[in-house]
Amino acid sequence: MGTVFKKSVPGREGVWPEKPATKVEYYIPSELLRKGSGMPSLSELDVVRHFTKLSMKNFGVDSNFYPLGSCTMKYNPKFTEQVAALPGFARLHPAISQLKGAGHLCQGALEVIFETERLLSELCGMADFTMHPMAGAHGELTGVMLIAAYHRDKGNKKTKIICPDSAHGTNPASATIAGYEVVSVESHDGIITPEALAEVLDDEVAAVMMTCPNTLGLFEKHLPEIVKMIHDKDALLYYDGANMNAVMGKMRVGDAGFDVVHLNLHKTLATPHGGGGPGSGPVGVCEKLTPFLPISRVKKLEDGQYYLSYDAPKSIGYVAPFYGNFGVYLKAYAYMLRLGREGLIRATENAVLNANYMRKRLEKYFEIPYNRICMHEFVLSAVNQAKNGVRALDVAKALLDKGHHAPTIYFPLIVKECMMIEPTETESKETLDLFINDLIEIAKLSNQNPDFIKNAPVTLPVSRLDETKAARDMVITDDIK
Amino acid sequence: MPYVPHSPEQIREMLEVIGVNSVDDLFAEIPAELRPKSFNLPKGNSEMAVLQKMEQLAARNTTDLTSFLGAGFYDHFIPTAVDALVSRSEFYTAYTPYQPEASQGTLQAIFEYQTAMARLMDLDYANASVYDGGTALYEATLMAVRKTKRRKIIVSEALNPIYRVMLDSYTTNLNLELVTVPHNHGRTNIKSFTAAIDNDTAAVIVQNPNFFGSVNDFTNLFATAHEHKAIAIMSTYPVLQAVLKTPGEMGADIAVAEGQSVGQPLSFGGPYLGIMTCTKELIRQMPGRIAGRTEDSEGRTGYVLTLQAREQHIRRHKATSNICSNQALCALRTLIHLCLLGEEGLHRTALLSIERAHYASERLTAIPGVELFTKGPFGNEFAITLPVNAFEVIDKLTKRGIIPGFPLGRYYEGLENELLVACTEKTTEEQIGIFAEILRGEL
């Protein structure tokens, strides 16, 4: 399908505003002007057909099961879209709250921020939350900046951050970008042991970044001991909230001893991820880190009025232009109000139930490196299939042919031929059974007719794509220069 | 229970397959000492009740005032078809395109977005977007630091102060030297800026039009930067890029922008998108997602995420950035918006906005005691000097139904009487007339 630029017909009328009365040269000297911006000229129907056809080449949660491990692709309720589109929210200029006497013009929005922070604080057992971070990885960076500010304020000289080998790649990247040296700790039988941690934990360590349950879907059962070891070194414990969907109401990270946490709202609290964003990555902190939170903060006066406070001398400053991705967490707020306490607990319980059901039904057909009760996701390995030349990648493509999105593959890096499956709580038993049966059929076919699997996908708009060619030829715009 | 489909009978069947007695047994590994001390969240509500509550909250925000507030974030008209198209759930409910064969829609859209951004900025390449304009600027700065292995960054004070404070926050732990060159009546002081560039300089950062609305040519400034092997970074306003001399023509190495004004509602600060474009030489320093064109096994054209060796999921602590996604849906909105307007529509949007701003400046400066602060050519935004404190004027005019602009004293000491006024193609001459009359009456 040709690009939208190839469909351009010069002179064709799009959605044009009225004709200006003058020429631009009237206001700006011609040496400061350009000629032609290179945008396409299309009719509205041209544009509507082009993008409608593009959309039909995509899998989304509304059309396909998306068991993408560590990504928590649950159903996104439709009513929250209507909430975000309300003109009282969508048309509100962010700078309005910074004008004198205009705070009363955005009390509703300030209340949303204040209340969302309170709900998330209770969800996680933290003293405070900031809604500023604009994505999960941005939350990580903010969290590490908070950790750095804390140590700087105490006069601590700390240069390292520990990340387990099973950590999301963003953890070490965030720690590095905030100025730290990254040290890895190996997991044993899928989890971190106090012994392994002791080998790398010294006085230079500013923090340990953990995911619990971890990326293998396993609960870190030595957590109480690990927390004590870390705090004894005056290091802080960071919780990567990517897997929060596994523990709502079962464990609160603050109560468990974590000092900083980020959440991925598109995962845990069901805001659509739009093909890669926007997200929202609020960060929660224990009391001793509150003074360092980003500027500004929403506070409430005794008379019930909300205002923005910029009085935070120890703050790490501004991490976002305003108050984060307001339009995204507005949806998460509405989602929390809808589900409530029992609904959130039930979400976690069913996510874990679904993952264990799938694990159990698949154990005869695939190697399961850590085959015990898992949390909301679990890891399969295609090592047995690989003996016939069928790799995890091939299994993934065969699943696409069956109309399912593939699991996360080759992550975590510590499992060979890894496939990480996360069904989420919103999928029915019928959907799980269909996927399981299709996966079993693929496992059987891997023995009988491995070439068939290796040629997948055959039912999609394109077959297997050449990623090496893309990197070598590097055509990343429609213009050959 | 909302959005959870199992019947009690199905749950029993599933527990039996797992080999446990109850759902609680699945959480046995969480020791008692790690269990929540409280979980005092409110009870759930019906969809209708939540919608009603959210409508009440929305109604407590006033959006029916006539607003001249801009400061880098503008209320442009968004064609209806933008919302209709991005609402297609195949776009809306998809994830990062890890399986390209199942995500050709998202990937081709990213490729087209990259093309549109590269053309708009007149540079070779674009990435698939980052969080916002401020993040884009900070990431561009880090690109320059990596490329030059130097640590001095020279910033114009006429750069959006929001981005300057973000840059401060992000570089606190990185041992970089930020040098700010003071503005001169709202214009970048080219002479003192040029004098500050030396062989330790990693990057020069300027904005066009700048925060005061002033339109500039940085060609000579960038040439000096290049003589010293420094990287030239320019922050821009994408709508006016339809008519202004391009970053490419001026010799910028990296151009960044806040994409809000092209297709995103203001939405109290987000979600927006950060546009990033650069020259060929810098592409491997560019953070974030990039879509590339390739072929499938039968020779058909297709798209994949490419140059991933720079990224955190491959390089972990050696990655160019920790950013692991893009603002895909926002970028799609921007692309569709630009396609609907087209070459002519975008030009008209820019010119109408400029026309209205100049009409407003004439009407406002006709009021005794009000003077134009921004010197030289300006686009759709300009600053005026009032005979009294701008905050007080805002307070008074807001009560009369007008938000007159942004007070420069908020960020610039000594500019307490200055007011930044923005117009777009949505601003009418009638609204400008009412604004001018009310201001005249209040002064």
Side-chain angles (χ1 to χ4, degrees):
Chain A
M1 183 175 159
T3 67
V4 76
F5 296 96
K6 295 283 187 279
K7 295 176 181 171
S8 173
V9 179
R12 183 169 287 175
E13 189 161 344
V15 183
W16 289 357
E18 63 187 273
K19 200 167 164 45
T22 49
K23 288 194 182 309
V24 68
E25 288 83 357
Y26 189 75
Y27 306 103
I28 297 171
S30 53
E31 66 268 24
L32 294 176
L33 296 173
R34 83 185 289 177
K35 286 229 161 32
S37 61
M39 295 304 111
S41 297
L42 302 155
S43 70
E44 181 168 329
L45 179 57
D46 289 340
V47 178
V48 168
R49 285 233 172 102
H50 178 77
F51 287 99
T52 300
K53 284 188 177 154
L54 277 191
S55 77
M56 291 161 76
K57 297 181 172 204
N58 252 14
F59 279 22
V61 170
D62 283 7
S63 36
N64 305 79
F65 180 36
Y66 233 95
L68 201 57
S70 246
C71 297
T72 313
M73 291 294 283
K74 60 171 83 172
Y75 169 68
N76 310 132
K78 299 300 175 194
F79 82 101
T80 60
E81 295 311 312
Q82 200 177 324
V83 169
L86 289 169
F89 293 128
R91 290 190 190 158
L92 197 58
H93 196 292
I96 201 169
S97 59
Q98 301 181 11
L99 311 176
K100 191 179 176 187
H104 68 279
L105 301 178
C106 56
Q107 283 296 305
L110 295 181
E111 181 172 337
V112 167
I113 302 174
F114 186 87
E115 286 299 320
T116 307
E117 288 182 1
R118 291 328 313 153
L119 291 183
L120 294 181
S121 297
E122 182 62 23
L123 182 72
C124 295
M126 305 306 282
D128 276 299
F129 252 86
T130 170
M131 303 309 296
H132 288 237
M134 297 175 278
H138 196 218
E140 287 177 24
L141 179 57
T142 305
V144 178
M145 286 163 69
L146 290 166
I147 288 165
Y150 167 81
H151 287 304
R152 198 166 43 239
D153 186 57
K154 280 190 83 178
N156 290 350
K157 293 267 181 290
K158 302 222 179 217
T159 55
K160 300 186 217 169
I161 283 187
I162 295 177
C163 299
D165 56 1
S166 60
H168 298 107
T170 45
N171 287 183
S174 297
T176 306
I177 278 164
Y180 285 101
E181 179 194 337
V182 174
V183 180
S184 183
V185 56
E186 268 181 46
S187 36
H188 294 270
D189 197 23
I191 57 175
I192 302 300
T193 60
E195 296 75 29
L197 183 63
E199 279 179 30
V200 286
L201 185 64
D202 60 27
D203 291 331
E204 306 266 284
V205 172
V208 180
M209 298 179 86
M210 290 189 65
T211 308
C212 181
N214 64 27
T215 56
L216 295 166
L218 303 175
F219 194 82
E220 294 283 355
K221 62 180 179 186
H222 301 297
L223 204 51
E225 205 180 334
I226 289 173
V227 171
K228 190 172 178 315
M229 286 170 69
I230 291 165
H231 285 162
D232 283 349
K233 293 278 183 197
D234 199 14
L236 298 174
L237 194 53
Y238 184 96
Y239 184 94
D240 180 323
N243 293 346
M244 178 61 75
N245 207 42
V247 291
M248 288 189 290
K250 304 295 176 184
M251 177 184 83
R252 295 200 314 173
V253 294
D255 297 346
F258 287 89
D259 302 293
V260 192
V261 52
H262 88 263
L263 298 179
N264 301 72
L265 296 188
H266 65 273
K267 299 181 184 184
T268 312
L269 300 173
T271 62
H273 203 231
S280 172
V283 166
V285 291
C286 64
E287 216 174 331
K288 65 184 176 192
L289 289 172
T290 299
F292 306 102
L293 286 175
I295 296 170
S296 55
R297 303 205 58 214
V298 177
K299 298 203 169 160
K300 192 178 183 178
L301 294 166
E302 270 178 27
D303 66 359
Q305 290 288 303
Y306 298 91
Y307 72 102
L308 283 172
S309 166
Y310 295 87
D311 180 21
K314 290 187 175 182
S315 167
I316 58 169
Y318 292 76
V319 299
F322 296 102
Y323 327 98
N325 283 342
F326 180 79
V328 176
Y329 58 78
L330 195 54
K331 298 176 195 176
Y333 177 56
Y335 177 82
M336 283 191 281
L337 294 180
R338 171 89 173 94
L339 263 67
R341 180 182 189 278
E342 299 305 322
L344 292 169
I345 294 173
R346 199 64 57 91
T348 283
E349 290 180 345
N350 282 277
V352 174
L353 174 70
N354 282 359
N356 277 289
Y357 173 72
M358 293 183 81
R359 174 183 59 83
K360 205 64 192 169
R361 281 210 50 204
L362 286 164
E363 68 184 357
K364 283 196 216 107
Y365 303 92
F366 287 91
E367 169 81 16
I368 303 187
Y370 307 99
N371 194 11
R372 52 185 193 252
I373 296 286
C374 64
M375 300 301 283
H376 66 316
E377 62 193 5
F378 64 102
V379 166
L380 297 180
S381 168
V383 281
N384 292 336
Q385 288 69 31
K387 287 170 195 157
N388 298 320
V390 173
R391 303 192 56 206
L393 180 73
D394 304 308
V395 176
K397 301 303 182 197
L399 280 166
L400 301 181
D401 265 340
K402 301 274 189 189
H404 312 291
H405 197 280
T408 296
I409 51 172
Y410 302 114
F411 180 81
L413 309 171
I414 48 180
V415 173
K416 276 184 192 159
E417 296 303 327
C418 187
M419 295 189 286
M420 192 206 290
I421 298 179
E422 179 181 5
T424 82
E425 73 276 12
T426 56
E427 296 299 334
S428 67
K429 183 171 177 293
E430 291 82 352
T431 302
L432 304 184
D433 283 335
L434 189 64
F435 180 86
I436 289 163
N437 294 338
D438 285 339
L439 196 50
I440 291 171
E441 195 189 315
I442 290 167
K444 288 178 178 164
L445 262 177
S446 304
N447 289 325
Q448 296 152 5
N449 188 359
D451 283 343
F452 184 79
I453 307 290
K454 286 196 287 192
N455 283 330
V458 295
T459 63
L460 295 178
V462 286
S463 62
R464 206 76 70 95
L465 288 159
D466 186 345
E467 298 195 19
T468 315
K469 178 181 164 59
R472 190 187 57 227
D473 296 352
M474 208 171 69
V475 180
I476 60 178
T477 71
D478 211 15
D479 304 304
I480 298 158
K481 282 197 177 179
Chain B
M1 205 50 74
Y3 321 124
V4 172
H6 301 324
S7 70
E9 178 57 31
Q10 286 179 317
I11 292 178
R12 268 195 298 279
E13 284 171 32
M14 292 166 79
L15 289 170
E16 203 170 301
V17 169
I18 300 167
V20 294
N21 294 322
S22 71
V23 170
D24 277 343
D25 290 348
L26 299 171
F27 296 88
E29 275 203 3
I30 306 181
E33 58 196 297
L34 293 186
R35 294 298 177 133
K37 288 181 184 148
S38 72
F39 202 62
N40 295 324
L41 290 152
K43 274 178 101 134
N45 288 285
S46 68
E47 178 176 317
M48 185 181 75
V50 178
L51 272 175
Q52 284 170 341
K53 180 184 166 72
M54 298 309 290
E55 279 162 10
Q56 284 165 7
L57 282 170
R60 296 185 61 205
N61 302 315
T62 313
T63 50
D64 55 357
L65 304 190
T66 302
S67 175
F68 295 86
L69 195 52
F73 306 87
Y74 303 97
D75 184 21
H76 287 287
F77 176 72
I78 301 171
T80 308
V82 173
D83 277 317
L85 288 168
V86 299
S87 299
R88 288 195 60 95
S89 72
E90 301 90 336
F91 284 135
Y92 219 93
T93 69
Y95 201 71
T96 303
Y98 292 136
Q99 296 289 338
E101 297 85 358
S103 304
Q104 284 301 295
T106 291
L107 284 160
Q108 184 172 333
I110 293 175
F111 180 86
E112 292 176 358
Y113 163 86
Q114 289 167 183
T115 305
M117 293 307 113
R119 287 186 179 192
L120 201 59
M121 302 296 186
D122 194 20
L123 284 170
D124 301 322
Y125 293 140
N127 72 4
S129 74
V130 291
Y131 311 134
D132 82 304
T135 314
L137 190 71
Y138 146 71
E139 290 285 353
T141 308
L142 289 195
M143 284 171 70
V145 170
R146 281 195 300 274
K147 183 75 180 177
T148 61
K149 300 188 170 58
R150 299 175 183 176
R151 42 181 292 272
K152 184 172 167 184
I153 315 291
I154 309 177
V155 183
S156 163
E157 199 190 10
L159 173 73
N160 191 325
I162 294 169
Y163 299 162
R164 284 195 286 125
V165 292
M166 284 176 74
L167 208 52
D168 279 341
S169 308
Y170 285 117
T171 54
T172 301
N173 305 313
L174 298 183
N175 191 31
L176 298 179
E177 185 193 352
L178 289 184
V179 178
T180 305
V181 178
H183 71 91
N184 178 14
H185 247 272
R187 289 185 71 78
T188 300
N189 195 330
I190 303 272
K191 213 173 158 185
S192 56
F193 200 121
T194 308
I197 303 171
D198 59 19
N199 288 338
D200 295 327
T201 307
V204 299
I205 305 178
V206 292
Q207 179 173 323
N208 189 44
N210 69 21
F211 188 64
F212 301 86
S214 158
V215 174
N216 313 267
D217 188 347
F218 294 116
T219 308
N220 294 335
L221 177 66
F222 290 168
T224 308
H226 288 152
E227 281 166 23
H228 293 275
K229 297 196 166 28
I231 303 287
I233 301 172
M234 186 162 136
S235 180
T236 71
Y237 167 30
V239 172
L240 287 205
Q241 240 13 97
V243 296
L244 296 183
K245 184 171 177 179
T246 65
E249 277 179 284
M250 293 188 204
D253 301 293
I254 306 172
V256 295
E258 169 55 65
Q260 176 274 326
S261 55
V262 191
Q264 324 302 317
L266 284 160
S267 195
F268 209 50
Y272 298 161
L273 71 155
I275 296 165
M276 289 193 85
T277 58
C278 70
T279 58
K280 267 184 188 159
E281 293 69 37
L282 287 168
I283 186 66
R284 284 172 204 279
Q285 298 296 337
M286 182 96 99
R289 296 266 178 250
I290 294 171
R293 180 182 274 164
T294 188
E295 286 177 359
D296 73 0
S297 54
E298 291 168 45
R300 289 175 295 201
T301 296
Y303 301 87
V304 295
L305 292 177
T306 192
L307 298 181
Q308 296 186 68
R310 306 162 297 118
E311 291 189 77
Q312 40 70 35
H313 62 281
I314 309 262
R315 296 262 288 171
R316 294 171 79 84
H317 66 281
K318 289 180 181 159
T320 53
S321 161
N322 73 328
I323 287 179
C324 72
S325 63
N326 65 310
Q327 298 287 95
L329 197 76
C330 301
L332 180 67
R333 291 185 71 99
T334 292
L335 173 67
I336 295 172
H337 183 106
L338 289 171
C339 290
L340 286 165
L341 290 178
E343 175 81 39
E344 175 68 15
L346 188 65
H347 185 89
R348 286 187 183 189
T349 302
L351 182 47
L352 284 168
S353 306
I354 295 169
E355 260 182 9
R356 304 288 151 85
H358 284 77
Y359 177 71
S361 81
E362 279 165 32
R363 290 294 304 264
L364 295 173
T365 54
I367 302 168
V370 178
E371 284 173 24
L372 196 60
F373 176 78
T374 304
K375 298 289 179 240
F378 62 88
N380 72 317
E381 196 163 20
F382 59 94
I384 50 174
T385 302
L386 299 165
V388 294
N389 188 298
F391 278 101
E392 303 301 332
V393 170
I394 289 167
D395 194 17
K396 284 181 185 166
L397 262 67
T398 303
K399 293 190 175 98
R400 307 278 308 271
I402 307 267
I403 301 173
F406 189 81
L408 285 174
R410 175 85 180 68
Y411 289 107
Y412 294 91
E413 216 181 309
L415 297 188
E416 284 71 23
N417 287 10
E418 274 67 26
L419 182 74
L420 189 62
V421 180
C423 296
T424 68
E425 79 286 1
K426 286 171 81 173
T427 317
T428 64
E429 291 194 356
E430 190 191 357
Q431 287 173 330
I432 293 166
I434 294 168
F435 172 21
E437 285 319 303
I438 292 179
L439 181 62
R440 185 186 292 267
E442 292 286 350
L443 287 179

